[in-house]
Amino acid sequence: MKKDKNMGALLGMQQEEMAMLLRVTRTQWSMYVLGQRGLPPEAQLKLAEMFAFIAQLDKKEKVDLPPIKQLESNKNNFWEGKLIDNQLNQTRITANLEKCTGKYEQAVVTWQLSNFMSTNEQETKWEQELLQHIKNRAEAVMQKNGLELQEQYEFKLRLLQHEEVLLKEKLSGK
């Protein structure tokens, strides 16, 4: 006759704890759970009382216990922390996007200006080389801060804004 292996788990206890409560060895408890041995009458009575108490709990109305209220407070603190983190991330991403966009736009103007100036035939070879260097540097900045990177920042920002809405809903209890 094999017993339920999760009997201790049903009661929320480990094998060692169950054995100590029932005043039997862990081996005796384990063998009882496996259906290989019975329990002493005192242990069986105590186990029956435990199961009767649990059955009674299921029928009673649920009551808010102090640890549960504390847990609710911790839960709100968790979501408030997430909201603060979200807002900080939005600020950081917005600053990165503005910086990236500014650098890109400045590089475009620099590239256009250097391109315009290099068409002037009166420029010396040295000036032409300098303009080419400026143009190359502008291209590198445009490449680094290009539209793809800007779209990535915009996507992250939209995602964070959507997450903020969900976090606010979670905190308001909707």
Side-chain angles (χ1 to χ4, degrees):
M1 176 171 116
K2 193 170 184 176
K3 307 279 185 213
D4 183 10
K5 286 185 180 182
N6 295 321
M7 202 175 298
L10 178 64
L11 298 171
M13 296 180 212
Q14 297 177 350
Q15 280 193 352
E16 294 83 10
E17 295 168 333
M18 284 297 298
M20 286 191 288
L21 280 174
L22 298 174
R23 295 186 178 151
V24 296
T25 66
R26 191 196 59 75
T27 304
Q28 283 178 302
W29 173 250
S30 178
M31 292 177 79
Y32 172 76
V33 170
L34 293 172
Q36 296 174 349
R37 174 180 203 160
L39 288 175
E42 301 84 24
Q44 285 181 345
L45 185 61
K46 196 166 198 170
L47 184 61
E49 288 174 3
M50 294 167 100
F51 278 116
F53 177 77
I54 289 175
Q56 189 180 23
L57 283 178
D58 291 339
K59 294 176 184 173
K60 288 184 179 178
E61 287 184 27
K62 300 295 180 196
V63 178
D64 285 337
L65 301 174
I68 293 173
K69 290 180 182 175
Q70 179 64 33
L71 186 64
E72 186 67 30
S73 173
N74 288 342
K75 187 173 122 182
N76 281 340
N77 288 343
F78 171 78
W79 291 116
E80 287 170 359
K82 287 290 190 187
L83 181 60
I84 290 167
D85 289 345
N86 174 283
Q87 291 167 341
L88 290 172
N89 284 333
Q90 281 190 55
T91 302
R92 182 182 51 85
I93 295 294
T94 301
N96 287 346
L97 176 59
E98 290 172 357
K99 184 178 173 182
C100 177
T101 304
K103 285 182 177 183
Y104 179 81
E105 291 171 355
Q106 186 179 21
V108 168
V109 171
T110 302
W111 187 88
Q112 290 173 334
L113 181 62
S114 62
N115 194 41
F116 168 75
M117 292 181 71
S118 65
T119 60
N120 186 350
E121 295 175 6
Q122 297 176 352
E123 301 291 334
T124 65
K125 183 177 180 183
W126 177 82
E127 289 170 328
Q128 288 292 334
E129 288 175 1
L130 176 61
L131 287 170
Q132 187 59 46
H133 173 73
I134 292 170
K135 198 173 180 180
N136 291 343
R137 191 172 44 83
E139 287 175 3
V141 170
M142 288 183 338
Q143 182 72 30
K144 183 178 178 183
N145 298 285
L147 299 176
E148 184 178 337
L149 181 62
Q150 293 174 39
E151 284 183 15
Q152 288 174 8
Y153 282 133
E154 288 172 1
F155 179 77
K156 287 178 185 177
L157 186 58
R158 281 196 217 133
L159 200 58
L160 286 168
Q161 289 167 343
H162 183 67
E163 182 183 65
E164 179 183 22
V165 170
L166 295 175
L167 289 169
K168 285 181 177 178
E169 285 177 6
K170 186 73 172 172
L171 281 168
S172 70
K174 289 184 180 178

